[in-house]
Amino acid sequence: MELSRRFYQEKVRPVVGVPHSAGLMGRGSEVLGFDDEMSGDHNWEPRALLFVREGVTLEPDVPDRFEGRPAIVEVHTLRSYFQKQVGFDPDQELVARDWLTFPEPILRQHTAGAVFHDEIGLQAVRDRLNYYPPDVWRYLMIAAWWCVHPEMNLVGRAGYAGDELGSALIGAQLVRDLMQLCFLLERQYAPYRKWFGTAFSRLSCGPTVGPLLRDVLRAGTWQEREAALMAAYRPICELHNRLEITPPVELGVEQMCGRPFKVVWGDFPGALAAGIEDPEVKRIAERWPVGRIERVRNVFWGVNDRRQLVELVDS
């Protein structure tokens, strides 16, 4: 990031004679702040994204190398760039179905990075994408809690039937879902899989919750796994209550149908749903909390596919 900043300041800005904005965002571990020594082995160049007003043509005369590396400059308008990379028109109002069909890693990539210079409103566009609106955020937390609650007892049920591998697989998925919930509670977009654990470790709850989740993954029996999940669940519930976005939710231990499988339970979905005021979000939440694009993103992965996802939300 600093290499790109110097490239812009020393070689690019002096030759750009029109009002513009500049920065670095989008793809790349350096944008997320996770680059290390290994990151330099491919696609790791000093880069600058330039943004100009509509109708302006700009071809800056800059060197193609900087400090021993290939250097890249891209020129865009704000509208063309965000439409292509995010599927978002900065001139349009954002509504709930937009937020629910933006891939979360893409939102992180375009609100991370840095703005080097800003004359035409780049940071204002990024600020609009900074995080989910309050009611969308509540809805996504409802969906995240529902990913956890119905599955908790299955760790024991599979193990009880002699399927420790299946129990471990369910436990691992619950670990992932609980981590996703932590990102939501701390109001941070989660990155894609390569950096998911790294970013989680940097959350404020990471040092506390991380070791408890590793205990779930290390468990050798369903009983150990169940106990580890219950231990991990509690500080995440306490994190919710500390936010004071709902009345305090009380925790209890339930055993579905009287079976010998223990599940920590608190009605977080109900408490969150009671606070939703946006009619569009309420309509979606009342139908069923299915969550974000990630549910189907392995099928509809391209920016242009977002049109089909919007149709799914509306149907």
Side-chain angles (χ1 to χ4, degrees), residues 4 12 18 84 94 124 150 227 268 287 301 303 313:
S4 293
V12 181
V18 298
K84 181 177 180 180
L94 287 169
F268 296 98
R287 199 171 61 195
W301 59 269
V303 171
V313 172

Side-chain angles (χ1 to χ4, degrees), residues 291-306:
R292 297 178 309 279
I293 184 181
E294 275 69 24
R295 292 292 179 190
V296 290
R297 71 187 299 263
N298 289 335
V299 178
F300 298 106
W301 59 269
V303 171
N304 291 334
D305 291 330
R306 205 170 71 79

Side-chain angles (χ1 to χ4, degrees), residues 4 55 63-64 66 115 135 139 171 188 194 205 221 229 237 251-252 279:
S4 293
D64 58 8
F66 181 74
V115 174
D135 279 354
Y139 167 73
Q188 290 195 32
K194 179 167 70 170
C205 69
T221 67
L229 278 166
C237 297
L251 299 184

Side-chain angles (χ1 to χ4, degrees), residues 203-242:
L203 296 177
S204 67
C205 69
T208 300
V209 177
L212 300 174
L213 295 176
R214 286 195 291 273
D215 287 343
V216 178
L217 299 177
R218 284 194 291 257
T221 67
W222 69 263
Q223 293 94 338
E224 294 172 351
R225 199 168 294 116
E226 178 184 83
L229 278 166
M230 292 176 67
Y233 189 99
R234 289 185 180 278
I236 298 172
C237 297
E238 292 165 3
L239 177 58
H240 171 100
N241 283 333
R242 286 198 301 272

Side-chain angles (χ1 to χ4, degrees), residues 92-132:
Q92 301 297 316
E93 179 184 359
L94 287 169
V95 295
R97 63 183 185 177
D98 293 317
W99 287 106
L100 297 177
T101 53
F102 290 144
E104 189 170 359
I106 298 297
L107 290 173
R108 181 161 183 139
Q109 290 171 8
H110 287 87
T111 53
V115 174
F116 304 150
H117 179 78
D118 196 14
E119 290 180 281
I120 65 170
L122 172 59
Q123 188 58 53
V125 178
R126 283 160 48 94
D127 288 345
R128 290 183 64 194
L129 298 173
N130 187 55
Y131 203 67
Y132 300 114

Side-chain angles (χ1 to χ4, degrees), residues 151-171 219-226 260-261:
E151 301 291 310
M152 291 279 282
N153 77 97
L154 299 184
V155 164
R157 185 67 185 98
Y160 188 85
D163 181 12
E164 283 292 356
L165 178 61
S167 174
L169 184 62
I170 296 167
T221 67
W222 69 263
Q223 293 94 338
E224 294 172 351
R225 199 168 294 116
E226 178 184 83
F261 316 124

Side-chain angles (χ1 to χ4, degrees), residues 38 86 96 131 141 149 170 201-202 225 255 287 310:
M38 184 176 290
V86 187
Y131 203 67
M141 285 190 287
H149 283 317
I170 296 167
S201 71
R202 299 186 185 184
R225 199 168 294 116
Q255 291 180 258
R287 199 171 61 195
V310 167

